[in-house]
Structures are given as C-alpha cells and as structure tokens.
Amino acid sequence: PKTGYRLAAGDGDALQVAPEHEGPAERLPSTTGKPGLDRRWLLGLGVGALAVCAGGAGLWQLTLPSEAEQRAEDLLLGAEPDAETKARALLEHRVAEAPDDAQALGLLAVAFQRIAARRGPALLADAERACRAAAQAALALDRGEGNAMAALSLLEPMLGAWSAVGERLRQAVAVAPDNPFAGVGFVNFLLSTGRGGAARARAAALVDSWPQAAQVVSVAAMAAWQAEGAAAALEQLRRAGPAGEAPALEVQRAWLLGEAGRSAEALALIERIRSRQSAPSHILDAVALTFAGKPDAGSALAAWDRAAKVQAGSLALLGYARFGDLDRLFAHADRWFGGPLAPDLPPAEARALRHMR
C-alpha cells in the first residue's frame, strides 16, 4: 500500500517524484493574476510586479535542516532575484535527505508555484506538475500542511477562476491561519476583488507576525493604498522600518510617491535606483515618464508598451490605467494572464467591468 512519498534529485537538475512502494519515479524535466479593471482591482495585481530587488548567495553553506528550511522560507517571503529557484535548490537538497519532511515538501510546492507564476511557456506545465506533486506529497504526510495548501490555492491564476481560487484560499487560511503564503495570497485575492478594507485588516495581522518579510510589507502597503490612498501606503512602508526601506521595495515606493503627488521625490528615487542598476531600465523609464512634471501620455504609453513586452507584468496594468487607456490595458491583461477576463466575477465586479469595457 502507498505509505508516503519521496522526492529526490534526478540526473542533472531534474526532480523525481514517486509514491513509496509504487513503481518507478516519474521524471519531471528541469524547470529553471487581471481583476475587474477599475483602480480597486488593479492595485492588488500590481503587488508582485512592484517588488524588484537584489541579493543572493551562500546557499550551500547551511548544514542544519532547520536552517535550510528557514532560509528557503525567508527567500520565498523576501524579494531576492530568482528567489524561488534558490529556494527550490535548498528544498530539493533537504527533501533528498529527509523525504518525510512535510514542511520542506510544502515549501518546495510554494517554490514551484512561484516558478509557474512566471507563466513562460517553457516553464509553466512542468512547474505546475512539480508543484502539485510536492504539495500532494506534503499533504499525504500532514493534511494540514499550510504551505502545500497555499501553493495549490495559488497555482491557478485568479483570473481563470475567481470563485474557485477564493474558496481554496479561504480554506487554506482557515486551516493554517498563521501561514504567511496563504495569508499573502488571500490579501491579494481581496485586493483583486475590490475589498480593500478587509485586505487592510488581514494585512495588518500579517505584518504583526512577519514584520521583516518584504512580500508581507509590500502587500500591506498595497492594501493601505487601496483602502486609504497613497499617503497611507507610504506611511505603512515608513512604519515597517528597515523592511519598508529595502531595495526590493524601491520601485513600489517610487510609484506610491508619484501617486501621492510627490513626483520630484519619485523621480529622484528612480534615478538612484537606476544608478545602482537594481531594477530593469525599461520599467524605470516607464515609471519616470508616468510621473514626469508634465507627462506626455503618448511617450509614457509607448514606454509601458516596451516594458510590457519584456518584464513589467501586472505593473504595466497600473501604467495603462493611470492614462485611462483601457484598450491597451485589456490587451496586455489578456496576454499576461493567458486569456480573456474570467466569466465568474462576483456580480458587482462583473457589472463594473462590463461598464468599463
């Protein structure tokens, strides 16, 4: 009978996943969100794209399994470049040593979910498959493993299934209320469906538990923006202390400064970021043109077009929305999120969306 799961490194950089006592392992090849579009929904979608960061190194200096898992969790809650791939390496090493470690398997599922969220055609299918395998292995060992539940909840883009994703996230936070990945995912869901007040309350509780996690601080600032405006979001970052001043959140801070009418400060920060080469230049160009003293809509929109083709993701939605270009916004959202707007929006959001389009 099936009694558990094992994950182990295969040849090269591949991952193998198989039930214990059930035949050969399945070899998986190596693997390296569009709301109802008024500002309320767009704010939530901008969270991930606004976290641009720097850092890394030293993964294999860790020796204790608990250190490896903590480092992987810190990576996944932070905003280092390619953090999910670094976390994957740590966790695959840990799982090879301790195949019955449900927490490591759950965190590995989160890492693969993040890789899948890139949605590149070369990554998506294999990353999704590996995410499900790791999560199912974790849940076979511990039915309440919150990391695995969060990963499965977030694997399907919200814009393909609002109701289903929302229900899975509610279940995840009910079973694992202290899990930061489920918590951040649920706050993003609330933001993306226009529930800024509820998102702000949830985010405040997350900040209390995870005050130095860049993704938690970032989503809390976005919740403050949606609920109370850009000034409140900047105050949220200020109260976070060093975490709110991290390089990973500088593009987000620059955007919020511009939204708050502090364009000169936003542009100065953009230039400091540019001098350190800590964010892609095409994104910095687009943000700078958006908040120029006398912004030229044509130039700014052309810059967002260039950024959208490369890396800007959901941040470009905010750029298009600021200039009221819904045609560009919807076209980019369809490309980025892999299809037209979902048909199962809640009634109020669906009505607002039909009116806008």
Side-chain angles (χ1 to χ4, degrees), residues 95-111:
V95 167
E97 293 179 338
D100 293 333
D101 188 333
Q103 182 181 6
L105 287 163
L107 288 169
L108 183 57
V110 172

Side-chain angles (χ1 to χ4, degrees), residues 6-18 24-32 87-96 104-105 107-109 111-113 115 126-135 137:
R6 57 184 169 86
L7 276 74
D11 297 335
D13 191 34
L15 175 70
Q16 297 186 59
V17 184
E26 176 189 5
R27 178 179 170 81
L28 301 186
S30 173
T31 63
T32 14
R88 170 194 169 178
L90 280 171
L91 293 163
E92 287 181 342
H93 184 72
R94 168 60 182 159
V95 167
L105 287 163
L107 288 169
L108 183 57
F112 277 118
Q113 181 269 319
I115 293 170
D126 291 332
E128 285 186 346
R129 194 156 47 122
C131 174
R132 293 186 193 281

Side-chain angles (χ1 to χ4, degrees), residues 91-165:
L91 293 163
E92 287 181 342
H93 184 72
R94 168 60 182 159
V95 167
E97 293 179 338
D100 293 333
D101 188 333
Q103 182 181 6
L105 287 163
L107 288 169
L108 183 57
V110 172
F112 277 118
Q113 181 269 319
R114 297 284 179 79
I115 293 170
R118 296 176 184 176
R119 299 188 64 78
L123 299 176
L124 183 58
D126 291 332
E128 285 186 346
R129 194 156 47 122
C131 174
R132 293 186 193 281
Q136 289 163 3
L139 293 170
L141 294 164
D142 177 359
R143 295 180 62 185
E145 213 295 308
N147 300 309
M149 295 183 70
L152 290 175
S153 298
L154 296 166
L155 189 57
E156 184 176 7
M158 292 182 193
L159 289 169
W162 290 97
S163 300
V165 172

Side-chain angles (χ1 to χ4, degrees), residues 258-305:
E259 286 284 346
R262 297 161 61 179
S263 296
E265 294 174 68
L267 295 174
L269 178 54
I270 288 293
E271 291 311 308
R272 291 198 295 275
I273 300 169
R274 196 189 302 277
S275 70
R276 293 192 299 271
Q277 299 182 336
S278 57
S281 61
H282 53 275
I283 293 178
L284 298 180
D285 292 343
V287 175
L289 287 167
T290 298
F291 295 112
K294 293 182 179 180
D296 177 82
S299 297
L301 287 168
W304 282 115
D305 287 343

